Amino acid sequence: MLPNTMTEMWATVGSTMASIMFVWTILQQYCPYNLRQFFDKYTSIITGYFNPYIQISFPEGSDDFWSKRSKAYATVETYLSSKASEKANRLKAELGKDSSKLVLSMDVHQRVTDEFRGVKIWWASKIVVKSTRSLYFPEQEKMSYNLTFHKKYRHMITESYLEHVMKEGKQIGVRNRQRKLYTNCPTEKWPSHRRSLWSSVVFEHPATFETMGMDPEKKQEIVDDLLNFSKSKDFYARIGKAWKRGYLLYGPPGTGKSTMIAAMANLLDYDVYDLELTAVKDNTELRKLLIETTSKSIIVIEDIDCSLDLTGQRTKKKKKSSEDDDQSAIPIKDVEEEEKSNKVTLSGLLNFVDGLWSACGGERLIVFTTNYLERLDPALIRRGRMDKHIELSYCSFEAFKVLAKKYLDLEIHQKFDTIQRLMGLTKITPADVAENLMPKSSSDDADKCLSNLIQALEQAKEEAAKKKAEEEEAAKKKDEDLKVKEEEAAKKKAEEEEAAKKKDEDLKVKEEEAAKKKDEDSKEVEYLNL
């Protein structure tokens, strides 16, 4: 049993605490608000002289009930997620915005420590209860993160540490986000209340550079270029260029241009904006779409040679003057049809890619794809706009081995020599190779799939030989027709020369007869005069 002195001491402490609470309740209820504010103000000032620590709070939102979540609060929450999962006793888990991963953050009244340049910093979470004037929502509870540090580190915390927290929090948020594939909506379907001009779905394309069927050296060159770009923010700022890079992918259909774009996005963890030019009304709306895109993204225009008539416009303008005399042959468009027509010009697209507006945001790739490189205007694909030109050609044997490993888990097989020999004699796209290597039923083994590929290669070889023979035959016939035309032209020319010669002889005879007649007439006149 406790001694009487200890019992009396605890009784005194309890009585004192009860008295203080009673007095505090009376003051809160009956003391005027302005007087309480006065005491709170000067109490904080007095205690501030003796308290060596400073606090910075990051509230979840403003006093307005309908206010949105503070971006600074969300960034701090993301930054503290890793530290909270290691040090906090109570955690709350939720899916972040546009995130596929659970974000763990501190629950209420939890405390974690952080260290920056050898300085210890404390973070604490608490609930702030704020009263409102609304009858329906008299009080609201919002979270707040409080940062506490010693006052002698004020400059370092405010100048460096908070910048580090914001930067690191944003990077973690980007890594945790759910990547998306965007496409632009047709202009006439843009509602007035719509905040974004893009619609999106979750980007889940599985393509990677490891699974792409192309030459390993060329593949590694592209990967190195992409990774170097993603780490070159300071370099681009130093040389005074927008942090963007253009890639032109060209080659026959089925050579993996779209797969290359997906592999780029998965390598760099970028979003993809698939821009459909035919749905854009004019250059102004093209710029609006560019402004709506975010950093860490790939802006794609596939089959650009087919999207709009952007090639040859200059030629048409030059020819217009020579065709002014034949205005009756040009059909006049209806006014309504003219208004609905696409007015995106080559100039507008050039400014989109490399103009002043292209510097809005950073860390972007702009990718064009085409099957016919020669159809594009040279100004559109010059270096500086499309910085790297990547030709995706027919499947090589090295690319075939990558596909064989992916589809059949084979690194070597007795039929590889036959395939290598046939690939040296004919052309086949990676898409065709992949289709033949893919098992069509559960009974198809590796040997059957390789046999299918060999058969396809032999068939392609025969078709190529047949096509070549047809082309040679057509060329031979063309040469024969040209020879016949040349002979006919030569014959016609000889006939024309013979006719001209005969005409000259007839003219000479007529001239001689006229001269003879004139001479006879002159003699007759002389005779009559005599």
Side-chain angles (χ1 to χ4, degrees):
M1 188 172 180
L2 292 173
N4 293 335
T5 54
M6 184 64 70
T7 304
E8 291 174 359
M9 185 185 71
W10 281 113
T12 303
V13 171
S15 177
T16 304
M17 292 295 296
S19 300
I20 292 173
M21 293 298 295
F22 175 76
V23 172
W24 178 253
T25 304
I26 296 299
L27 286 173
Q28 288 285 349
Q29 187 169 0
Y30 296 104
C31 184
Y33 176 77
N34 292 335
L35 184 60
R36 293 204 314 270
Q37 288 288 96
F38 175 82
F39 279 118
D40 290 342
K41 175 182 177 182
Y42 285 97
T43 301
S44 299
I45 292 174
I46 293 170
T47 56
Y49 287 110
F50 303 98
N51 184 10
Y53 293 98
I54 296 174
Q55 282 193 351
I56 300 176
S57 64
F58 294 85
E60 187 175 5
S62 64
D63 295 342
D64 183 9
F65 183 82
W66 302 106
S67 64
K68 296 180 181 177
R69 204 180 198 198
S70 167
K71 290 184 179 180
Y73 174 88
T75 305
V76 169
E77 185 177 57
T78 305
Y79 172 77
L80 293 176
S81 59
S82 59
K83 295 173 175 54
S85 62
E86 296 175 359
K87 301 176 182 180
N89 295 326
R90 292 200 310 273
L91 301 170
K92 62 178 182 178
E94 59 183 353
L95 281 174
K97 183 180 179 183
D98 296 332
S99 175
S100 57
K101 300 179 181 179
L102 280 175
V103 177
L104 299 177
S105 57
M106 292 189 295
D107 204 354
V108 185
H109 306 307
Q110 291 296 292
R111 189 182 182 95
V112 297
T113 57
D114 193 15
E115 189 172 327
F116 182 73
R117 297 180 184 176
V119 177
K120 196 171 184 180
I121 301 156
W122 295 270
W123 286 95
S125 61
K126 67 176 185 178
I127 288 180
V128 180
V129 180
K130 295 184 178 181
S131 59
T132 63
R133 298 179 181 178
S134 173
L135 296 176
Y136 299 100
F137 305 101
E139 288 185 347
Q140 56 173 313
E141 292 184 353
K142 290 196 174 183
M143 287 280 293
S144 175
Y145 287 111
N146 284 4
L147 166 65
T148 306
F149 58 93
H150 200 281
K151 62 172 61 178
K152 67 180 179 180
Y153 301 116
R154 178 195 292 267
H155 181 74
M156 186 192 70
I157 297 298
T158 56
E159 295 293 332
S160 302
Y161 178 68
L162 291 181
E163 182 181 351
H164 163 74
V165 169
M166 293 295 109
K167 182 179 178 181
E168 189 68 20
K170 289 177 181 178
Q171 290 178 353
I172 295 173
V174 169
R175 290 196 296 267
N176 291 339
R177 83 191 191 284
Q178 194 170 40
R179 290 185 299 120
K180 293 186 176 181
L181 172 63
Y182 295 85
T183 185
N184 55 305
C185 302
T187 304
E188 60 272 10
K189 294 184 179 180
W190 287 359
S192 57
H193 64 277
R194 187 182 182 90
R195 296 186 61 192
S196 177
L197 310 180
W198 299 88
S199 58
S200 63
V201 296
V202 177
F203 183 76
E204 297 178 329
H205 201 292
T208 62
F209 279 97
E210 288 77 11
T211 60
M212 280 193 65
M214 64 182 301
D215 184 76
E217 292 184 3
K218 187 174 183 180
K219 185 192 302 184
Q220 189 59 46
E221 177 188 346
I222 298 169
V223 169
D224 292 341
D225 187 81
L226 289 166
L227 294 176
N228 181 65
F229 166 79
S230 66
K231 301 173 183 177
S232 300
K233 180 180 180 180
D234 296 335
F235 172 77
Y236 277 86
R238 180 169 60 83
I239 65 176
K241 287 186 65 176
W243 191 14
K244 65 177 184 61
R245 188 160 176 80
Y247 286 82
L248 176 66
L249 310 182
Y250 66 96
T255 51
K257 293 183 283 294
S258 298
T259 305
M260 170 73 75
I261 295 169
M264 287 179 172
N266 287 327
L267 175 70
L268 300 178
D269 202 24
Y270 283 4
D271 294 321
V272 178
Y273 288 84
D274 185 12
L275 178 59
E276 178 55 56
L277 282 179
T278 55
V280 184
K281 185 178 180 181
D282 53 28
N283 296 334
T284 302
E285 291 176 357
L286 186 62
R287 287 194 291 270
K288 289 180 182 178
L289 286 164
L290 176 63
I291 295 171
E292 286 282 332
T293 60
T294 61
S295 299
K296 291 186 177 295
S297 61
I298 303 177
I299 302 174
V300 180
I301 303 179
E302 293 200 82
D303 297 320
I304 190 170
D305 54 298
C306 304
S307 297
L308 290 176
D309 189 12
L310 297 172
T311 58
Q313 288 187 0
R314 302 178 184 185
T315 307
K316 290 180 181 180
K317 290 180 180 179
K318 291 178 182 177
K319 290 181 178 180
K320 186 176 179 181
S321 59
S322 62
E323 297 174 355
D324 287 343
D325 297 336
D326 192 16
Q327 293 293 332
S328 60
I330 301 175
I332 301 175
K333 288 186 177 181
D334 185 51
V335 176
E336 184 178 352
E337 182 183 351
E338 183 68 25
E339 290 178 353
K340 290 183 179 180
S341 64
N342 190 295
K343 296 181 181 178
V344 175
T345 63
L346 177 61
S347 174
L349 188 58
L350 295 180
N351 288 326
F352 173 87
V353 175
D354 195 34
L356 294 174
W357 291 93
S358 65
C360 298
E363 198 172 357
R364 284 197 189 100
L365 298 179
I366 300 176
V367 180
F368 292 165
T369 71
T370 181
N371 296 333
Y372 305 99
L373 182 62
E374 65 279 359
R375 294 183 182 179
L376 300 181
D377 192 291
L380 186 63
I381 59 176
R382 69 164 176 81
R383 307 292 177 174
R385 289 196 174 102
M386 293 294 104
D387 304 284
K388 190 169 183 64
H389 295 191
I390 302 173
E391 181 180 8
L392 298 175
S393 189
Y394 294 99
C395 189
S396 64
F397 181 68
E398 293 299 324
F400 156 74
K401 289 196 292 185
V402 175
L403 294 173
K405 175 64 177 174
K406 180 173 71 170
Y407 283 88
L408 304 175
D409 196 23
L410 288 177
E411 293 185 358
I412 191 169
H413 193 276
Q414 59 184 1
K415 293 185 177 180
F416 276 18
D417 293 336
T418 304
I419 293 172
Q420 184 177 12
R421 178 180 59 82
L422 288 172
M423 281 188 167
L425 300 175
T426 188
K427 296 177 180 179
I428 188 169
T429 65
D432 290 331
V433 173
E435 177 61 25
N436 284 283
L437 291 180
M438 184 180 294
K440 304 300 187 297
S441 66
S442 57
S443 61
D444 288 353
D445 56 6
D447 192 71
K448 174 72 179 298
C449 294
L450 292 175
S451 298
N452 292 339
L453 177 59
I454 291 173
Q455 184 179 354
L457 285 168
E458 289 176 345
Q459 185 177 354
K461 180 183 174 183
E462 293 175 359
E463 291 177 354
K466 183 179 178 181
K467 184 177 180 181
K468 184 178 179 181
E470 291 175 352
E471 290 176 351
E472 290 176 352
E473 184 67 23
K476 183 178 179 181
K477 185 178 180 182
K478 185 177 180 180
D479 291 339
E480 291 176 353
D481 292 342
L482 182 61
K483 187 176 181 180
V484 170
K485 289 181 180 179
E486 289 176 350
E487 291 175 354
E488 290 177 351
K491 183 178 179 182
K492 185 177 180 181
K493 184 177 179 182
E495 290 175 352
E496 290 175 350
E497 289 177 352
E498 183 67 24
K501 183 178 179 181
K502 185 176 180 182
K503 185 176 180 181
D504 291 341
E505 290 177 354
D506 292 343
L507 183 60
K508 187 176 180 181
V509 170
K510 290 181 180 179
E511 289 175 350
E512 289 176 354
E513 290 178 351
K516 183 178 179 181
K517 184 177 181 182
K518 184 178 180 182
D519 185 55
E520 290 176 351
D521 290 341
S522 61
K523 287 181 178 180
E524 184 177 354
V525 170
E526 290 177 359
Y527 177 78
L528 291 174
N529 290 334
L530 292 174

